[in-house]
């Protein structure tokens, strides 16, 4: 059926939002009344005719308004065809059949809008999660204000088990937060306050453990939150706005069906007009030819075709939103289901995005605990990311507390760190640092070093009192769910899974082996990644690229479908990616791709059903082998079938 782009203001003056449904039912009531008056009573003919006319008025009201807005623009769509058929039926005194047509068509329209609105409501429900007011802390007092009046840097108090009113950073208190409305995560996430001594950065750069989003639900503890985004700029507001705009981004199938309708409807009008004069060629009167033409008009109207794709697209996008995934329109939905090759960024996508201590190996009979203590004391005084990671992991493992035994720490660019420990020199760094310090490296140590490097680890030697006493290795470890996710992707038909990374090829190879990638390409600069994506598109036609939506933006923009992870709170990811996984859980990816494929399959089914019914009905009606009532029943029946078929996507689950 024709898509409605206008709001009928009468809705709010008569029966509210259900006006269209009640008008359709009243059309049916007066149709039935007219049939009963004509066939079961001796009341004058005008009484049944009046009942049919009233039935026409209710059944054709909304259809006529829609059509009248398009006809001056030269747009003759399905609504126009139905009105023409009803008027034609009245002209040949087939009022009952014309009223039946309008009743079933208006009822079908109502069911179509119900289906579309159900899909939209499942998305818009996010908006209802945000509270209407917030508790602002001002001069030691709590004042309740509407969330629209909140300003940047206001401090709001979040009470236990209440909804969070704004995007911001926690400055006091810790709690678990249910982020399911935004990210789809089923388990509440622990949140802690940001230390007051730490400068508060831009919202996107603050670690997620300190950040909360409007519309999420606080756990059992109170928190104070510094507001960093206005109500209209919050993540949930942006999400709702973007999802509400997805219908403007037509899928390839939608564009194809629109083009088809553009040429098909005028063709139907011409054919129907010619059939009105069939009596000139065959032995029948004008009324019989007109009746045949009207029946063909009903049978040939592609109502089911018009709704088949948008209903499936919107249902698919709504289902994805329920799982914390934003799919930007039908184009992304359809194309994602067609990809067989996925390129992944490494850091923060397939890996945790932060280095972890993987090995602490004592050498030359040095005590393991003493080695750990020495390394902790030295590395805890450095600001280098690797040093901080090592110190943090050692503290966690051994429960160390700094005793300030390390002195005169000196970072040596590109090599490592030098310090004094117990009045003796300590060196922690690469082979070149050791050689420059005149420390002898034994062949057995070099072989162990090479083995770790080949496994993709970053390795540092530890020298104390001019002797190598140990070896440390760190690595950005794969996500715990990466291997199972890639295996699931393989099971649903993804043939090529390729990692594109700027890290050393050994690092890429090691991670690829651990998690089951088909290929890893290392040592890539941003322009190299763009070239790699171009080559993959040339080879495999369509590819998806998964990243964080900020880094590797040129390569992601070039891919067929770009997928951003951890997009909650990230303006760049929400704006640039075709698909945004609101959480940073890569395990959502197989569901999204499978949902896209199921949506594509349902779209194809709907098109087959709608065109199949038209193809079957038109020849039968042209030959005069059926009446208008049967044509209407099959025609509207197919519309209801495709709508119900599309609604199945709202409950889709990946087996």
């Amino acid at each position: 059926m024709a898509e409605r782009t206008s709001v009928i203001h009468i809705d709010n003056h008569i029966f509210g939002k259900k006006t269209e449904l009640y008008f359709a039912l009243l059309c049916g009531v007066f149709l039935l009344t007219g049939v009963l008056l004509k066939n079961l009573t001796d009341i004058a003919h005008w009484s049944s005719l009046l009942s049919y006319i009233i039935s026409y008025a209710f059944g054709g009201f909304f259809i006529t308004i829609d059509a009248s807005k398009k006809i001056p623009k030269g747009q003759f769509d399905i609504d126009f065809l139905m009105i023409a058929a009803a008027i034609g039926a009245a002209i040949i005194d087939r009022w009952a059949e014309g009223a039946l047509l309008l009743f079933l068509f208006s009822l079908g329209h109502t069911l179509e809008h119900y289906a579309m609105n159900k899909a939209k409501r499942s998305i818009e429900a996010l908006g209802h999660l945000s509270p209407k007011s917030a508790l602002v802390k001002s001069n030691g007092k709590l004042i309740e204000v509407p969330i629209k009046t909140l300003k940047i840097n206001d401090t709001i108090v979040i009470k236990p088990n209440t909804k969070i009113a704004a995007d911001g950073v926690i400055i006091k208190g810790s709690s678990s937060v249910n982020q399911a409305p935004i990210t789809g995560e089923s388990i509440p996430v622990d949140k802690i306050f940001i230390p007051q001594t730490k400068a508060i950065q831009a919202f996107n750069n603050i670690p997620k453990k300190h950040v909360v989003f409007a519309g999420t639900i606080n756990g059992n503890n109170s928190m104070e939150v510094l507001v960093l985004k206005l109500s209209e700029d919050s993540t949930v507001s942006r999400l709702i706005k973007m999802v509400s705009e997805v219908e403007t981004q037509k899928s390839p199938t939608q564009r194809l069906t629109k083009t088809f309708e553009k040429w098909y409807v005028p063709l139907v009008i011409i054919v129907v007009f010619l059939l009105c004069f069939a009596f000139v060629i065959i032995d029948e009167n004008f009324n019989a030819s007109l009746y045949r033409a009207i029946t063909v008009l009903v049978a040939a109207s592609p109502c089911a075709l018009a709704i088949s794709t948008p209903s499936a697209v919107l249902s698919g996008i709504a289902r994805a939103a329920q799982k914390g995934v934003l799919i930007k329109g039908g184009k992304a939905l359809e194309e994602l289901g067609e990809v067989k090759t996925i390129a992944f960024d490494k850091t923060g996508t397939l890996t945790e995005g932060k280095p972890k201590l993987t090995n602490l190996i004592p050498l030359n009979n040095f005590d393991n605990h003493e080695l750990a203590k020495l390394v902790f004391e030295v590395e805890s005084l450095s600001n280098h990311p690797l040093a901080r990671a090592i110190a943090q992991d050692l503290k966690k493992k051994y429960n160390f507390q700094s005793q300030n035994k390390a002195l005169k720490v000196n970072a040596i660019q590109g090599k490592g760190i030098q310090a004094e420990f117990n009045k003796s020199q300590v060196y922690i760094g690469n082979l070149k640092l050791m050689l420059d310090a005149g420390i002898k490296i034994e062949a057995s140590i070099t072989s162990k070093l090479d083995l770790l490097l080949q496994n993709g680890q970053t390795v540092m030697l530890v020298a104390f009192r001019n002797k190598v006493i140990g070896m440390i290795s760190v690595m950005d470890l794969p996500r715990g769910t990466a291997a199972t996710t890639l295996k699931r992707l393989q099971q649903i038909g993804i043939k090529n899974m390729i990692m594109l990374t700027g890290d050393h090829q050994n690092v890429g190879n090691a991670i690829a082996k651990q998690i089951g990638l088909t290929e890893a390409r290392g040592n890539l600069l941003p322009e190299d990644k763009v070239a790699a994506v171009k080559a993959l598109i040339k080879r495999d036609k369509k590819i998806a690229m998964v990243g964080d939506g900020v880094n590797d933006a040129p390569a992601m923009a070039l891919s067929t479908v770009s997928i951003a992870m951890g997009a909650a709170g990230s303006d760049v990811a929400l704006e640039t990616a075709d698909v945004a996984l609101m959480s940073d859980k890569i395990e959502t990816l197989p569901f999204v791709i499978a949902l896209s494929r199921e949506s594509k399959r349902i779209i194809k089914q709907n098109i087959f059903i709608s065109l199949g019914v038209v193809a079957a009905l038109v020849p039968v009606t042209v030959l005069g082998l059926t009446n208008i009532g049967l044509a209407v029943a099959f025609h509207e029946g197919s519309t209801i079938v495709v709508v119900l078929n599309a609604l199945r996507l709202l409950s889709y689950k990946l087996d």
Side-chain angles (χ1 to χ4, degrees):
M1 293 181 186
E3 290 181 74
R4 288 179 184 250
T5 55
S6 59
V7 176
I8 308 301
H9 295 291
I10 195 172
D11 283 10
N12 297 322
H13 298 294
I14 301 181
F15 299 121
K17 293 181 179 180
K18 294 184 178 180
T19 298
E20 189 173 14
L21 172 62
Y22 291 141
F23 271 37
L25 294 176
L26 285 170
C27 173
V29 168
F30 282 101
L31 165 62
L32 181 61
T33 303
V35 171
L36 294 176
L37 288 173
K38 182 176 181 180
N39 296 302
L40 299 180
T41 69
D42 295 327
I43 299 176
H45 172 70
W46 66 265
S47 61
S48 61
L49 178 60
L50 178 61
S51 189
Y52 290 142
I53 292 172
I54 296 173
S55 177
Y56 261 61
F58 280 116
F61 182 82
F62 286 97
I63 305 168
T64 304
I65 289 176
D66 274 359
S68 64
K69 291 180 179 179
K70 295 173 183 176
I71 292 172
K73 301 175 185 178
Q75 298 174 358
F76 297 93
D77 62 4
I78 298 156
D79 288 340
F80 172 79
L81 297 183
M82 292 299 98
I83 293 169
I87 293 172
I91 290 172
I92 59 174
D93 202 27
R94 300 276 188 159
W95 287 93
E97 287 167 316
L100 175 64
L101 168 63
L102 290 175
F103 167 60
L104 291 177
F105 188 71
S106 60
L107 187 61
H109 240 313
T110 304
L111 292 174
E112 170 199 331
H113 294 156
Y114 167 78
M116 299 292 275
N117 288 335
K118 184 176 181 181
K120 288 179 181 177
R121 282 196 302 271
S122 67
I123 297 167
E124 292 169 353
L126 290 174
H128 302 310
L129 290 170
S130 296
K132 304 299 181 188
S133 61
L135 288 174
V136 176
K137 188 175 182 180
S138 178
N139 298 322
K141 296 181 180 180
L142 293 183
I143 305 170
E144 187 171 355
V145 301
I147 62 167
K148 290 185 179 179
T149 65
L150 286 176
K151 300 184 292 294
I152 303 295
N153 294 328
D154 276 350
T155 298
I156 59 175
V157 175
I158 313 298
K159 291 186 176 181
N161 304 308
T162 60
K163 297 169 185 175
I164 294 170
D167 285 13
V169 61
I170 305 168
I171 56 174
K172 185 177 180 181
S174 301
S175 188
S176 61
V177 175
N178 178 1
Q179 297 190 146
I182 302 293
T183 66
E185 295 167 284
S186 57
I187 300 173
V189 178
D190 290 336
K191 301 283 185 176
I192 61 174
F193 69 93
I194 194 167
Q196 291 287 351
T197 55
K198 189 171 182 179
I200 294 176
Q201 308 162 343
F203 185 83
N204 293 350
N205 299 327
I206 301 172
K208 294 289 177 70
K209 64 183 178 181
H210 303 311
V211 166
V212 292
F213 304 111
T216 56
I217 304 165
N218 186 23
N220 297 324
N221 299 318
S222 292
M223 298 185 296
E224 290 185 13
V225 172
L226 186 71
V227 176
L228 295 183
K229 286 192 177 184
L230 298 175
S231 171
E232 61 268 25
D233 297 325
S234 70
T235 299
V236 69
S237 296
R238 290 168 60 83
L239 181 61
I240 294 166
K241 181 175 181 291
M242 287 181 173
V243 174
S244 67
E245 292 172 351
V246 297
E247 285 184 279
T248 63
Q249 302 180 40
K250 304 297 183 185
S251 73
T253 308
Q254 279 177 287
R255 289 196 296 268
L256 185 64
T257 54
K258 280 294 179 186
T259 302
F260 173 78
E261 287 176 45
K262 182 180 178 182
W263 294 99
Y264 178 78
V265 171
L267 180 63
V268 168
I269 294 172
I270 293 170
V271 170
V272 168
F273 177 76
L274 293 175
L275 284 173
C276 291
F277 301 97
F279 69 91
V280 175
I281 301 173
I282 59 177
D283 185 20
E284 64 181 15
N285 58 34
F286 171 72
N287 278 1
S289 292
L290 185 58
Y291 183 78
R292 185 202 307 272
I294 293 167
T295 308
V296 170
L297 182 61
V298 173
S301 296
C303 296
L305 179 64
I307 192 59
S308 60
T309 305
S311 60
V313 166
L314 192 58
S315 295
I317 290 170
R319 178 59 180 147
Q322 291 170 358
K323 298 288 283 187
V325 180
L326 171 62
I327 300 178
K328 293 188 182 175
K331 183 176 183 290
L333 180 70
E334 285 195 28
E335 289 187 333
L336 182 59
E338 295 173 1
V339 300
K340 296 292 178 67
T341 297
I342 302 179
F344 294 91
D345 175 35
K346 179 185 79 71
T347 305
T349 300
L350 293 173
T351 65
E352 295 288 349
K354 49 190 176 183
K356 290 283 186 181
L357 178 66
T358 50
N359 288 290
L360 179 71
I361 306 169
L363 300 170
N364 292 319
N365 299 316
F366 202 83
D367 180 73
N368 182 79
H369 190 272
E370 288 299 318
L371 174 63
K373 183 64 175 174
L374 182 152
V375 172
F376 171 75
E377 289 286 351
V378 174
E379 297 286 31
S380 61
L381 295 178
S382 172
N383 288 323
H384 192 280
L386 289 182
R388 288 203 304 267
I390 292 168
Q392 184 178 343
D393 287 351
L394 287 173
K395 181 178 181 179
K396 186 176 180 181
K397 183 175 181 179
Y398 294 96
N399 197 27
F400 284 147
Q401 296 296 326
S402 178
Q403 297 176 356
N404 300 317
K405 289 186 177 182
L407 303 169
K408 300 177 182 178
V409 174
N410 179 33
I412 303 172
Q413 186 68 32
K415 297 178 184 178
I417 191 171
Q418 176 189 5
E420 189 179 289
F421 185 80
N422 288 342
K423 298 182 180 180
S424 298
Q425 289 296 312
V426 176
Y427 295 91
I428 303 176
N430 57 23
L431 194 60
K432 186 166 177 49
L433 177 65
M434 301 298 143
L435 295 174
D436 289 349
I439 297 169
K440 184 181 177 181
I441 309 296
E442 299 167 8
S444 59
I445 294 176
T446 305
S447 63
K448 288 180 181 178
L449 179 71
D450 290 341
L451 182 62
L452 289 171
L453 287 171
Q454 287 170 13
N455 288 329
Q457 307 207 34
T458 300
V459 186
M460 287 155 280
L461 297 171
V462 183
F464 182 54
R465 294 173 179 165
N466 294 318
K467 187 178 181 181
V468 176
I469 61 168
M471 190 180 295
I472 316 167
S473 69
V474 296
M475 189 175 184
D476 183 10
L477 296 175
R479 290 178 177 271
T481 55
T484 53
T485 299
L486 296 182
K487 186 176 181 181
R488 195 75 179 97
L489 287 171
Q490 206 168 29
Q491 289 172 347
I492 64 172
I494 300 298
K495 294 180 180 178
N496 305 302
M497 295 174 288
I498 301 144
M499 181 170 67
L500 306 178
T501 178
D503 278 346
H504 193 279
Q505 186 66 50
N506 287 345
V507 176
N509 291 341
I511 292 175
K513 186 176 180 181
Q514 288 182 56
I515 63 178
L517 287 164
T518 53
E519 187 182 347
R521 301 184 186 182
N523 302 313
L524 299 179
L525 297 172
E527 56 266 31
D528 298 325
K529 292 186 179 183
V530 170
V533 169
K534 284 181 179 177
L536 289 172
I537 291 174
K538 186 175 180 180
R539 186 189 76 182
D540 300 330
K541 307 305 178 191
K542 292 187 177 183
I543 77 159
M545 183 164 179
V546 187
D548 62 8
V550 180
N551 299 324
D552 307 314
M556 291 180 70
L558 188 64
S559 62
T560 312
V561 183
S562 58
I563 304 170
M565 284 184 53
S570 170
D571 295 343
V572 177
L574 286 174
E575 292 289 350
T576 60
D578 299 313
V579 177
L581 310 184
M582 301 307 289
S583 74
D584 63 355
K585 294 183 179 296
I586 195 172
E587 56 267 36
T588 313
L589 194 55
F591 168 81
V592 180
I593 293 175
L595 174 66
S596 299
R597 291 182 176 174
E598 181 66 9
S599 300
K600 183 78 173 177
R601 191 172 69 86
I602 284 180
I603 287 170
K604 287 180 179 178
Q605 289 175 354
N606 283 354
I607 290 174
F608 177 80
I609 292 168
S610 55
L611 290 180
V613 169
V614 169
L617 277 180
V618 169
V620 172
T621 52
V622 168
L623 296 173
L625 301 177
T626 187
N627 60 37
I628 194 172
L630 197 57
V632 167
F634 273 97
H635 179 270
E636 296 305 321
S638 66
T639 301
I640 293 170
V641 168
V642 298
V643 167
L644 295 177
N645 195 35
L647 284 178
R648 291 194 298 122
L649 286 168
L650 289 175
S651 58
Y652 176 76
K653 293 180 181 178
L654 179 59
D655 297 329

